[in-house]
Amino acid sequence: MANWLKNTIKNASSDCVVFGFEDFSLKILLYKRGINPCKGAWALPGGFLKKGELFEEAARRILKATTGVTDIYLEEVAVFDQLDRFPPWRVFTVGYFALVKPGKYKITATGLDSTEVRWFKFNELPELAWDHKQIVDTALHKLRSLVLHKPIGLELMPNKFTLPQLQTLYEVVLDRPLDRRNFRKKMIQMNLLKKLDERDPNNKTNAAYLYKFDKRVYNKLITKGFILE
Amino acid sequence: MANWLKNTIKNASSDCVVFGFEDFSLKILLYKRGINPCKGAWALPGGFLKKGELFEEAARRILKATTGVTDIYLEEVAVFDQLDRFPPWRVFTVGYFALVKPGKYKITATGLDSTEVRWFKFNELPELAWDHKQIVDTALHKLRSLVLHKPIGLELMPNKFTLPQLQTLYEVVLDRPLDRRNFRKKMIQMNLLKKLDERDPNNKTNAAYLYKFDKRVYNKLITKGFILE
DNA sequence: ACAAAAGTGTTCAGCGTACACCCATGC
DNA sequence: GCATGGGTGTACGCTGAACACTTTTGT
């Protein structure tokens, strides 16, 4: 412990709510703690800041260690600083939410004292350590309001995807069904998508067309925003 | 200095961007530092956390000291943690933005080592200490996006106000003119306002009617949000 | 009577919303 | 041939946007 503390700021940490989209559901990355405190409990990937490291840098370091992804979408959620959130002593944490693309990452446990790292459906989470449930809830809330005003699929979908897939993402995040035709119309009229000549090879019956995001438009909408309904 | 540190967390602070609306302009509260570091420079009201104090509590303590207001609208803006932001040593700060109502506050310098506290027009700010300009810019950005989705006048306008006054607030925040008739229509059809039988006693020619906010509707719109244009 | 500010109503276009049918494929 | 999922177009209503004239009062 003494050695561990040497290069560490012991009252400041970053925690990441990592969202991924797989098997038609929205998932969150958790790890099982291998050491005390809270050994055996599931927790968000996170950790103390090193000296000379920014909160966001710490978050990226942790994400690289857990997912292997270096260029990742990251946004600050909020500060969490309840006095008793980390009982051994007082620690402020900055919560981030991150979006990662399936296929682009591979989960490891490098850099975390952990016995296991895996995805959970966002609505079937286990009990979480400390105040991590609260961080997840805040991040989910932010994701839901984000999705209505900015495009988000680029960070979560594979490079080529079908419109029904994208719609499912939106339905899962918003937790309600959307009208197929209106969803298509909206996406297409924003010029957000480029239709490819390929079709979904996975699907059996009537294969859906694949699309890519038009990154130019995508980035413009990220800064400018839009209104989905 | 030794005594000052005893009850203080020396690497964590809160800083407040206090917005007020007066003389038809949006203003920000600054104080002139009375001691080093940065003696003589203008800065945002802020300070180190005391032990056992939350970031938001520190912000409220500082606001009470500077404005005398206890129930104040306060929202987290972001964490600012550049390594060199506070040259003597490393300090993270949580930026807040606050909205206060003219007439409800009185400026003091209690609790700040200051020679002067006063309002500046938001677009005529002096040079600011440290990274406070960046905090102001981020807060302004947040205010501008807030105003499009939530009602904000309640915290900034006097209890009774005219529609042209409210419109001016919106125009100043958004930095562009709005159509008088459409603005009225929008505000009225949201049931946000209660028309009074009084007229603006200050105005000379054709006095405008005074309004109050319907707090029930106001609070509902705060949580539910709306879309201004 | 003229200038300054406040109040009011209408028209148009675009978009969000609801909704039904045909097509392709695998079993 | 039937079930499953994908693709497409239309009609209506609301609301955001543009816009001009009248009323009041102080000078």
Side-chain angles (χ1 to χ4, degrees):
Chain A
M1 182 87 114
N3 191 39
W4 166 86
L5 272 176
K6 218 188 294 178
N7 193 32
T8 299
I9 298 172
K10 77 178 213 296
N11 69 348
S13 67
S14 294
D15 286 299
C16 304
V17 183
V18 185
F19 290 105
F21 184 65
E22 226 173 15
D23 303 331
F24 300 96
S25 35
L26 184 70
K27 300 191 174 180
I28 293 176
L29 195 67
L30 300 177
Y31 78 101
K32 193 180 228 171
R33 287 185 59 77
I35 57 166
N36 272 317
C38 284
K39 181 169 175 174
W42 290 96
L44 294 173
F48 292 102
L49 262 66
K50 294 186 187 293
K51 285 184 179 153
E53 186 180 51
L54 305 180
F55 283 99
E56 186 176 324
E57 287 170 353
R60 288 187 191 279
R61 168 173 56 79
I62 289 153
L63 288 173
K64 187 179 174 190
T66 48
T67 67
V69 182
T70 51
D71 60 328
I72 202 166
Y73 181 88
L74 203 59
E75 190 170 330
E76 184 180 328
V77 173
V79 173
F80 297 85
D81 68 338
Q82 288 301 311
L83 297 180
D84 57 355
R85 60 176 296 280
F86 184 83
W89 63 83
R90 184 168 181 197
V91 180
F92 328 116
T93 200
V94 177
Y96 285 90
F97 86 71
L99 304 176
V100 301
K101 204 180 281 219
K104 203 176 168 186
Y105 57 79
K106 63 162 178 281
I107 297 173
T108 66
T110 319
L112 287 173
D113 293 296
S114 172
T115 54
E116 199 181 347
V117 179
R118 73 174 189 85
W119 294 97
F120 287 82
K121 288 193 182 178
F122 82 103
N123 50 5
E124 297 175 9
L125 296 182
E127 286 281 310
L128 298 185
W130 307 307
D131 62 348
H132 284 191
K133 179 72 167 67
Q134 189 194 347
I135 300 177
V136 167
D137 287 344
T138 312
L140 257 175
H141 186 262
K142 194 139 187 166
L143 179 60
R144 290 203 164 116
S145 85
L146 186 71
V147 83
L148 295 174
H149 302 297
K150 314 252 170 166
I152 58 156
L154 179 60
E155 317 291 342
L156 290 166
M157 304 299 286
N159 284 331
K160 302 175 179 181
F161 54 89
T162 66
L163 265 167
Q165 276 174 340
L166 185 63
Q167 183 175 341
T168 305
L169 168 63
Y170 276 74
E171 289 180 331
V172 168
V173 170
L174 295 173
D175 195 29
R176 61 187 157 89
L178 300 172
D179 182 272
R180 205 160 76 240
R181 290 153 293 195
N182 295 334
F183 182 79
R184 300 174 81 84
K185 203 190 306 171
K186 182 73 189 184
M187 288 294 146
I188 286 166
Q189 84 184 18
M190 284 194 295
N191 290 317
L192 186 58
L193 302 177
K194 287 190 292 198
K195 187 174 184 174
L196 304 178
D197 265 341
E198 306 166 60
R199 288 161 172 249
D200 183 1
N202 301 322
N203 211 342
K204 334 278 171 182
T205 65
N206 189 14
Y209 280 97
L210 290 170
Y211 289 80
K212 290 176 96 160
F213 284 109
D214 183 329
K215 291 197 184 158
R216 214 183 161 73
V217 177
Y218 193 94
N219 289 327
K220 204 178 68 188
L221 288 176
I222 283 280
T223 50
K224 233 191 57 180
F226 62 81
I227 294 168
L228 181 78
E229 63 184 14
Chain B
M1 180 84 114
N3 192 38
W4 167 86
L5 273 176
K6 217 188 296 178
N7 194 31
T8 298
I9 298 173
K10 79 178 212 298
N11 70 348
S13 68
S14 294
D15 286 299
C16 303
V17 183
V18 185
F19 291 104
F21 184 66
E22 225 173 17
D23 304 329
F24 299 95
S25 34
L26 184 69
K27 299 191 174 179
I28 293 175
L29 194 67
L30 299 176
Y31 78 101
K32 194 180 228 169
R33 288 185 58 79
I35 57 166
N36 272 318
C38 284
K39 182 170 174 172
W42 291 96
L44 294 173
F48 291 102
L49 263 65
K50 294 186 188 294
K51 286 186 179 153
E53 187 180 51
L54 304 180
F55 283 98
E56 186 175 325
E57 287 171 353
R60 288 187 191 279
R61 168 172 55 78
I62 290 152
L63 288 173
K64 187 178 174 189
T66 48
T67 66
V69 182
T70 51
D71 60 328
I72 202 166
Y73 180 89
L74 202 60
E75 190 170 330
E76 183 181 328
V77 173
V79 173
F80 297 85
D81 68 337
Q82 287 301 311
L83 297 180
D84 58 353
R85 58 175 299 278
F86 184 82
W89 63 84
R90 185 169 181 196
V91 180
F92 328 115
T93 201
V94 177
Y96 285 90
F97 86 72
L99 305 177
V100 301
K101 205 180 281 219
K104 201 177 170 186
Y105 57 79
K106 63 161 178 282
I107 296 173
T108 65
T110 320
L112 287 171
D113 293 297
S114 173
T115 54
E116 199 181 347
V117 179
R118 74 173 189 85
W119 293 99
F120 287 84
K121 289 194 184 177
F122 81 103
N123 49 6
E124 297 174 8
L125 296 182
E127 285 282 309
L128 297 185
W130 307 306
D131 61 349
H132 284 191
K133 178 74 166 65
Q134 188 193 348
I135 300 177
V136 167
D137 288 343
T138 312
L140 257 175
H141 187 261
K142 194 140 187 165
L143 179 61
R144 290 203 164 117
S145 84
L146 185 71
V147 82
L148 295 174
H149 303 296
K150 313 253 171 166
I152 59 156
L154 178 60
E155 318 291 343
L156 289 165
M157 305 299 287
N159 285 331
K160 302 174 181 182
F161 55 89
T162 67
L163 265 167
Q165 275 175 341
L166 185 63
Q167 182 176 342
T168 305
L169 169 63
Y170 276 75
E171 289 178 331
V172 167
V173 170
L174 294 174
D175 194 29
R176 61 187 158 89
L178 299 173
D179 183 89
R180 205 161 75 240
R181 291 153 291 191
N182 295 334
F183 181 80
R184 301 173 80 84
K185 204 190 308 171
K186 182 76 189 183
M187 288 294 147
I188 286 166
Q189 83 185 19
M190 284 194 295
N191 290 316
L192 186 58
L193 303 176
K194 286 190 293 197
K195 187 174 185 174
L196 303 177
D197 264 340
E198 307 166 60
R199 288 161 171 248
D200 183 2
N202 301 322
N203 210 343
K204 333 279 171 181
T205 63
N206 189 14
Y209 280 97
L210 290 170
Y211 290 81
K212 290 175 95 160
F213 284 110
D214 182 330
K215 292 197 184 159
R216 213 183 161 73
V217 177
Y218 193 93
N219 290 327
K220 205 178 67 186
L221 289 176
I222 283 281
T223 51
K224 232 193 57 177
F226 63 80
I227 294 168
L228 182 79
E229 63 183 12

